[in-house]
Amino acid sequence: MPSKTDLPLPQLDNVPRHIAIIMDGNGRWAKKRGLTRLAGHRSGTENLRRIIRACVEFGVQYLTIYAFSTENWGRPADEVEGLMHILEEVIDKELNDLHEEGVQLRHIGRLEQLNPTLRSKVEHSVEITKENHRLILCIAWNYGGRDEIVCAIRNMMKDGVKPEDVTDELVSSYLFTAGIPDPDLIIRTSGEMRISNFLIWQASYSEWYVTPTLWPDFDREELYTALSSFSQRERRFGKLSDSENELIQNAD
Ligand code: IPE
Ligand code: IPE
Ligand code: MG
């Protein structure tokens, strides 16, 4: 018997090129089961593997995941240490498979505050996968949207950029996400309706999908539901819809 996750799903139209996910709710998932918060983070990490596979299956080109924010340093020290340890374990265990599957790893955020071993493991993962193009997986770790903009302004000033040369495109090129298209769809699990300092510049015209499902339970079928919802949206970017434009042209 094929498992539920093997069942074929109808072809999707208009698959977003770039999905970004705020993977929230690991703590609540663990609490409901009488487990530790770290057990929730481990379960969330296992789920990520499934979602990466589903993104490849559905034809998503870029997946950005919010895994550790600049504000998450404010959590108890053992949770922060545990999260750093989980990242290191994931790199040790999964890097070869991800590389073989054609996943390119990118990091957004600051590496300076990480311990030197973890930092060099992240740098190594980015380096060895840089020629892969099946899925670009961008890991937001020690990432904050405001911190990213502060870094960009500092670097522009260091480079002596003239005020009249500052444009949307130039600012984008100074962000951690330089070269990555803006997210088409942002998914937040666990029902919270906020941005929590994630991609505040890049999300200017992203579509949102918020679900009460806690991250460890967010599966391939629900990702498919999110993508189906996206495929029915009309993105106007401040302009009029195609049908409204047609009516106006016909009236002229
Ligand atoms: C998201 O889950 C993972 C991280 C922020 C690292 P949480 O740990 O925020 O889970 P809740 O929100 O407490 O349920
Ligand atoms: C956002 O979740 C950060 C990550 C998922 C890494 P949080 O749980 O930290 O956000 P708040 O505190 O609910 O805004
Ligand atoms: Mg949370």
Side-chain angles (χ1 to χ4, degrees):
M1 264 290 276
S3 72
K4 188 177 164 231
T5 53
D6 291 325
L7 293 177
L9 293 163
Q11 185 72 34
L12 284 159
D13 297 326
N14 187 27
V15 173
R17 179 154 68 140
H18 182 178
I19 302 179
I21 307 182
I22 302 178
M23 309 184 295
D24 198 13
N26 294 346
R28 277 162 282 174
W29 183 93
K31 195 171 178 195
K32 272 190 2 195
R33 287 162 179 76
L35 301 171
T36 62
R37 292 183 58 84
L38 276 179
H41 294 314
R42 283 190 189 286
S43 181
T45 308
E46 282 161 25
N47 191 43
L48 179 58
R49 202 69 191 82
R50 291 190 281 270
I51 293 301
I52 292 171
R53 227 171 267 135
C55 281
V56 171
E57 177 190 347
F58 298 144
V60 173
Q61 290 172 42
Y62 295 84
L63 170 64
T64 296
I65 48 153
Y66 202 12
F68 190 87
S69 73
T70 45
E71 286 70 35
N72 290 148
W73 291 104
R75 295 191 177 195
D78 58 347
E79 183 170 347
V80 171
E81 269 167 43
L83 284 163
M84 297 289 161
H85 185 65
I86 289 174
L87 176 64
E88 201 169 329
E89 258 180 23
V90 169
I91 295 175
D92 291 343
K93 283 199 203 139
E94 305 284 347
L95 179 60
N96 284 345
D97 285 354
L98 289 169
H99 187 32
E100 273 171 24
E101 287 163 32
V103 175
Q104 181 187 134
L105 291 170
R106 283 198 52 166
H107 166 257
I108 57 169
R110 283 208 220 204
L111 289 179
E112 299 98 275
Q113 285 149 291
L114 308 192
N115 82 50
T117 314
L118 180 56
R119 183 181 171 159
S120 61
K121 285 185 180 182
V122 174
E123 285 167 344
H124 171 71
S125 316
V126 169
E127 181 56 30
I128 71 158
T129 60
K130 69 178 185 206
E131 304 297 340
N132 296 340
H133 292 289
R134 192 139 185 231
L135 174 75
I136 296 171
L137 174 63
C138 203
I139 302 172
W141 191 275
N142 192 21
Y143 172 87
R146 287 192 173 190
D147 185 50
E148 179 178 43
I149 292 171
V150 168
C151 276
I153 294 171
R154 283 189 186 154
N155 288 329
M156 280 191 271
M157 293 178 89
K158 273 190 208 152
D159 289 350
V161 172
K162 296 199 198 85
E164 59 273 25
D165 292 336
V166 178
T167 59
D168 258 34
E169 291 72 26
L170 187 84
V171 173
S172 296
S173 75
Y174 272 87
L175 299 176
F176 299 136
T177 51
I180 296 175
D182 288 342
D184 300 295
L185 175 66
I186 301 182
I187 296 173
R188 184 163 187 155
T189 57
S190 91
E192 309 294 355
M193 306 264 190
R194 55 176 170 265
I195 199 163
S196 301
N197 204 11
F198 187 46
L199 301 177
I200 53 180
W201 170 276
Q202 300 85 340
S204 61
Y205 262 105
S206 304
E207 296 291 322
W208 281 83
Y209 179 87
V210 176
T211 170
T213 306
L214 304 174
W215 170 250
D217 294 328
F218 182 87
D219 59 11
R220 170 181 176 262
E221 280 69 26
E222 192 162 3
L223 176 64
Y224 183 88
T225 305
L227 298 188
S228 305
S229 154
F230 175 85
S231 72
Q232 284 150 29
R233 313 249 184 114
E234 183 180 40
R235 302 177 77 190
R236 289 187 292 277
F237 299 98
K239 304 183 182 95
L240 298 186
S241 66
D242 288 345
S243 53
E244 281 166 320
N245 269 327
E246 228 168 83
L247 278 175
I248 290 167
Q249 272 164 12
N250 289 342
D252 282 348

